[in-house]
């Protein structure tokens, strides 16, 4: 059986047995809920690091995060921003310090971001 034939067979099987397939999926999800949550949490925690202030030159955007990997994915997915030339500007000890640097760059230097460069916010 070729890959295409296998795909077609699987597609027809799922179409003919929707309730059966859904019941199996639900049972598997319930059985493995804690395990899946632990794996997801471990993956996310492995990506975290100390807070950084980063710059996206294409959009003149400055932001702050403690997980740059997922933050850049969100920029690409939700905001359609180009993230290829991302630069880390500052690495902070804690998030409070990083946010202070970010605010300074928005207010005093005019970069785009969460605060939009609006003075006095």
């Amino acid at each position: 059986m070729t890959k295409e034939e296998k795909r077609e067979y699987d597609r027809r099987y799922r179409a003919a047995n929707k309730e059966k397939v859904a019941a199996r999926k639900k049972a598997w999800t319930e059985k493995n809920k804690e395990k899946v949550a632990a794996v997801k949490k471990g993956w996310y925690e492995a990506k975290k690091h100390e807070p950084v202030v980063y710059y996206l030159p294409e959009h003149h955007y400055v932001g702050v995060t403690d997980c740059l990997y997922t933050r850049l994915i969100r920029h690409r997915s939700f905001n359609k921003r180009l993230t290829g030339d991302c630069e880390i500007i500052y690495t902070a000890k804690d998030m409070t310090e990083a946010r202070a640097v970010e605010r300074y760059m928005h207010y005093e230097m005019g970069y785009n971001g969460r605060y939009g460069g609006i003075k006095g916010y």
Side-chain angles (χ1 to χ4, degrees):
M1 185 180 283
T2 66
K3 284 185 180 181
E4 290 79 23
E5 291 171 340
K6 174 77 168 116
R7 274 192 215 122
E8 182 61 27
Y9 173 81
D10 289 344
R11 187 189 64 74
R12 278 189 268 125
Y13 177 84
R14 285 190 302 271
N17 298 293
K18 284 182 181 180
E19 293 172 6
K20 193 177 191 180
V21 171
R24 280 190 195 150
K25 185 176 181 179
K26 185 176 180 180
W28 187 91
T29 303
E30 287 298 319
K31 180 181 174 186
N32 296 296
K33 188 183 288 186
E34 292 176 13
K35 184 178 179 181
V36 169
V39 168
K40 283 183 179 179
K41 184 178 180 182
W43 180 88
Y44 179 74
E45 291 297 323
K47 298 284 184 189
K48 288 182 93 171
H49 48 73
E50 59 272 340
V52 294
V53 179
Y54 62 95
Y55 174 59
L56 301 176
E58 290 282 331
H59 304 282
H60 197 61
Y61 180 92
V62 171
V64 64
T65 185
D66 63 349
C67 188
L68 190 60
Y69 177 80
T70 56
R71 185 66 186 114
L72 293 180
I73 288 173
R74 288 183 179 157
H75 275 306
R76 287 189 298 267
S77 299
F78 300 122
N79 305 104
K80 306 297 185 227
R81 289 198 170 113
L82 301 174
T83 60
D85 296 333
C86 178
E87 302 170 20
I88 295 177
I89 297 172
Y90 183 78
T91 303
K93 292 179 228 158
D94 60 6
M95 195 58 93
T96 306
E97 179 185 355
R99 284 197 181 109
V101 171
E102 178 195 27
R103 262 188 242 108
Y104 173 79
M105 296 188 81
H106 290 165
Y107 297 144
E108 302 301 324
M109 301 176 86
Y111 288 98
N112 296 326
R114 178 178 179 185
Y115 303 104
I118 302 168
K119 300 239 183 215
Y121 177 70

